[in-house]
């Protein structure tokens, strides 16, 4: 049995407005571009003593998707978190920035600026992006291997830039008229395969705590990159065994990079549909997805595998033999591999397959039930060493968000699975609590 404290984050992407959740009268969807909307969520997360809030990001817009919901609407994460830094005091603020589209100097400067504004509560969620190349003059997205090679060099540059201007080089000697020891502020003179960057950075590195790096790579190249640099890894793990396998692999890879296995935390997304009773939770899930779920799931299945199931009955089993030749360059190799794994293992009937998280969403772990059900599931996964924590993704309603923060997290804390109060005021400090 594991006695480690869990590490829990919260997505600021309003997952509780997904599907038809935004149509509920109390959704406040009209305020989606108002900072107060996110201040409320961040304060609730901080009151529950969560490790961090984060904002995922996309750099493209599917205009057609806006017909049915606000899911693709988003502000710049770093700007949004700068606003939240003034309204919170302890919770970590994790910004998502792509290594595929931006210059590393700009990213180093933006993230370190937020770190100073938040007094050491900033982290960087390193993503390589799956789409958006058309908005940056890139004809086609590079392969996963090339994206992660670029990301590795990009991250190395950013870290060197953060070290190029040491905070203690500022001496503020008023009597002698010397602001800083300029000899300690040095260029990095990087020349690499993808970037040439001179440096130094225009502001010093924050010196009270390291700045956490988070990654979500799940392909072999992505896992290897994450294991080499990340303090925590976001994961898609629709079942416990997938989480166990991923955690073991990442910990082993970390050791091959000369790190301790305990240096890397595995935090799968946890999609929660919570209500007072299981039946009410099932109704919440059904109501949230009934208008678009089946059509969207069939479209997702076809996009991932090429399988057309429009005329299939719900009780027909789906096997690997039913699938046409698979695409050589799938949009997400991770989600495709998880889907193939589920089909091979379970031979699900079509109706069952179309409801699986691998098909309807991002292949996240899912609990549809009561707070007790969620508590039991989290406890079981933790005791099986499948997770080091999770990212909370409430679904369906604002009430589910409130149940997650006001009931589920305190219940975990009361049982000794999570902190009852902050022991640190930096993001890095939260992640290192045992």
């Amino acid at each position: 049995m594991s006695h480690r404290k869990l590490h829990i984050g919260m997505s600021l992407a309003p997952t509780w407005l997904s599907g038809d959740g935004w149509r509920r009268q109390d959704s406040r969807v009209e305020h989606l571009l108002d900072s107060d909307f996110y201040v409320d969520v961040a304060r609730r997360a901080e009151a529950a003593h969560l490790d961090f809030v984060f904002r995922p990001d996309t750099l493209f817009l599917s205009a057609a998707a806006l017909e049915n919901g606000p899911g693709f609407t988003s502000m710049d994460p770093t700007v949004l978190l700068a606003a939240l830094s003034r309204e919170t005091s302890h919770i970590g603020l994790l910004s998502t920035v792509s290594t595929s589209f931006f210059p590393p100097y700009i990213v180093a400067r933006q993230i370190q600026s937020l770190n100073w504004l938040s007094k050491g509560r900033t982290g960087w969620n390193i993503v390589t992006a799956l789409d958006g190349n058309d908005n940056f003059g890139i004809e086609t997205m590079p392969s996963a291997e090339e994206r992660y090679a670029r990301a590795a060099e990009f991250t190395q540059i950013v870290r060197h830039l953060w070290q190029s201007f040491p905070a203690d080089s500022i001496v503020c000697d008023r009597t002698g008229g010397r602001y800083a020891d300029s000899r300690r502020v040095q260029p990095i003179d990087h020349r690499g395969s993808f970037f040439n960057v001179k440096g130094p950075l225009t502001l010093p590195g924050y010196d009270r705590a390291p700045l956490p790096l988070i990654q979500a790579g799940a392909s072999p190249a992505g896992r290897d990159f994450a294991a080499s640099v990340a303090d925590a890894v976001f994961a898609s793990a629709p079942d416990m065994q997938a989480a166990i396998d991923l955690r073991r692999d990442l910990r082993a890879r970390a050791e091959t990079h000369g790190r301790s296995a305990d240096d890397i935390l595995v935090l799968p997304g946890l999609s929660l549909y919570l209500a007072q009773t299981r039946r009410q939770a099932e109704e919440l899930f059904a109501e949230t997805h009934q208008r678009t779920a089946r059509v969207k799931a069939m479209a997702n299945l076809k996009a991932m595998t090429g399988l057309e199931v429009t005329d299939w009955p719900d009780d027909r089993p789906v096997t690997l033999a039913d699938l046409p030749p698979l695409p050589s360059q799938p949009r997400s190799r991770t989600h495709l591999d998880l889907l193939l794994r589920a089909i091979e293992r379970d031979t699900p009937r079509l109706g069952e397959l179309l409801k699986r998280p691998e098909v309807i969403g991002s292949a996240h772990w899912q609990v549809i039930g009561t707070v007790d059900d969620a508590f039991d599931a989290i406890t079981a996964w933790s005791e099986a060493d499948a997770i080091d924590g999770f990212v909370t993704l409430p679904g369906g309603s604002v009430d589910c968000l409130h149940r997650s923060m006001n009931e589920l997290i305190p219940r975990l804390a009361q049982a000794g699975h999570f902190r009852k109060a902050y022991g640190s005021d930096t993001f890095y400090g939260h992640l290192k609590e045992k």
Side-chain angles (χ1 to χ4, degrees), residues 222-299:
R223 291 187 187 193
D224 204 55
F225 171 61
S228 70
V229 300
D231 296 290
V233 175
F234 292 161
S236 293
D239 58 73
M240 186 190 294
Q241 191 59 51
I244 290 172
D245 293 344
L246 176 62
R247 185 170 182 269
R248 285 176 179 166
D249 182 59
L250 285 167
R251 288 169 64 84
R253 287 175 186 261
E255 290 180 331
T256 67
H257 286 284
R259 307 175 72 197
S260 165
D262 292 333
D263 286 344
I264 190 167
L265 305 173
V266 179
L267 310 177
L270 175 53
S271 177
L272 295 168
Y273 287 82
L274 303 181
Q276 190 168 351
T277 67
R278 290 180 184 173
R279 180 174 179 178
Q280 289 173 338
E282 290 166 357
E283 290 172 350
L284 173 65
F285 182 83
E287 290 169 3
T288 299
H289 297 289
Q290 64 183 354
R291 188 165 62 106
T292 60
R294 186 176 181 84
V295 173
K296 181 180 178 182
M298 287 193 294

Side-chain angles (χ1 to χ4, degrees), residues 5-174:
K5 288 283 196 301
L6 294 169
H7 297 278
I8 304 176
M10 169 79 184
S11 174
L12 288 173
T15 50
W16 55 97
L17 303 187
S18 62
D20 276 348
W22 67 273
R23 300 175 69 189
R24 294 179 177 274
Q25 290 300 312
D26 62 352
S27 72
R28 298 184 67 225
V29 68
E30 296 85 358
H31 301 283
L32 201 55
L33 299 177
D34 186 331
S35 64
D36 289 345
F37 182 98
Y38 300 97
V39 168
D40 176 69
V41 176
R43 285 177 172 170
R44 290 177 185 275
E46 187 168 69
H49 308 116
L50 265 57
D51 289 56
F52 62 92
V53 290
F54 92 106
R55 174 72 210 198
D57 195 29
T58 57
L59 292 164
F60 68 98
L61 177 66
S62 173
L66 292 175
E67 286 286 338
N68 296 313
F72 276 85
T73 306
S74 64
M75 292 187 283
D76 181 277
T78 308
V79 175
L80 173 61
L81 292 172
L84 298 186
S85 71
R86 295 286 296 175
E87 305 293 337
T88 55
S89 59
H90 284 75
I91 197 164
L93 305 172
L94 180 60
S95 186
T96 301
V97 189
S98 172
T99 59
S100 295
F101 304 132
F102 299 118
Y105 193 94
I106 293 294
V107 174
R109 190 172 186 243
Q110 288 180 336
I111 296 296
Q112 196 62 258
S113 295
L114 180 60
N115 203 30
W116 278 100
L117 293 174
S118 64
K119 297 181 172 63
R121 292 187 289 126
T122 296
W124 176 23
N125 181 29
I126 307 168
V127 298
T128 64
L130 295 174
D131 291 289
N133 52 290
D134 291 340
N135 294 323
F136 295 89
I138 302 172
E139 188 171 338
T140 59
M141 284 298 295
S143 67
E145 290 73 20
E146 182 178 340
R147 292 201 311 273
Y148 281 108
R150 177 187 173 98
E153 183 179 334
F154 191 113
T155 304
Q156 180 188 49
I157 293 168
V158 168
R159 297 173 91 175
H160 287 168
L161 286 169
W162 287 341
Q163 297 164 4
S164 67
F165 186 166
D168 59 4
S169 67
I170 299 177
V171 295
C172 290
D173 180 2
R174 289 179 172 84

Side-chain angles (χ1 to χ4, degrees), residues 202-415:
T202 61
L203 78 163
Y206 193 78
D207 58 349
R208 283 192 54 225
L211 195 152
L213 303 180
I214 316 296
Q215 226 282 309
S219 67
R223 291 187 187 193
D224 204 55
F225 171 61
S228 70
V229 300
D231 296 290
V233 175
F234 292 161
S236 293
D239 58 73
M240 186 190 294
Q241 191 59 51
I244 290 172
D245 293 344
L246 176 62
R247 185 170 182 269
R248 285 176 179 166
D249 182 59
L250 285 167
R251 288 169 64 84
R253 287 175 186 261
E255 290 180 331
T256 67
H257 286 284
R259 307 175 72 197
S260 165
D262 292 333
D263 286 344
I264 190 167
L265 305 173
V266 179
L267 310 177
L270 175 53
S271 177
L272 295 168
Y273 287 82
L274 303 181
Q276 190 168 351
T277 67
R278 290 180 184 173
R279 180 174 179 178
Q280 289 173 338
E282 290 166 357
E283 290 172 350
L284 173 65
F285 182 83
E287 290 169 3
T288 299
H289 297 289
Q290 64 183 354
R291 188 165 62 106
T292 60
R294 186 176 181 84
V295 173
K296 181 180 178 182
M298 287 193 294
N300 288 346
L301 182 62
K302 184 175 181 179
M304 283 191 285
T305 67
L307 184 63
E308 174 59 70
V309 296
T310 304
D311 299 324
W312 285 27
D314 273 2
D315 61 353
R316 175 172 170 172
V318 182
T319 70
L320 292 181
D322 293 315
L323 304 180
L326 297 171
S328 59
Q329 293 285 340
R331 180 178 181 274
S332 173
R333 171 63 63 184
T334 302
H335 294 162
L336 176 58
D337 287 347
L338 287 169
L339 175 62
L340 297 178
R341 176 178 173 274
I343 293 174
E344 182 178 28
R345 182 190 61 209
D346 301 333
T347 314
R349 298 183 185 277
L350 177 63
E352 299 167 344
L353 183 63
L354 294 178
K355 295 178 182 178
R356 289 190 64 93
E358 296 94 326
V359 176
I360 65 173
S362 298
H364 287 309
W365 175 18
Q366 191 173 80
V367 174
I368 304 171
T370 64
V371 168
D372 286 345
D373 292 329
F375 174 85
D376 290 343
I378 293 165
T379 300
W381 282 45
S382 177
E383 292 179 349
D385 285 334
I387 58 173
D388 296 294
F390 57 90
V391 178
T392 314
L393 307 170
S397 69
V398 175
D399 179 69
C400 182
L401 166 66
H402 294 172
R403 287 180 188 272
S404 301
M405 294 297 103
N406 300 340
E407 298 178 38
L408 176 60
I409 303 302
R411 176 88 181 274
L412 290 168
Q414 192 63 37

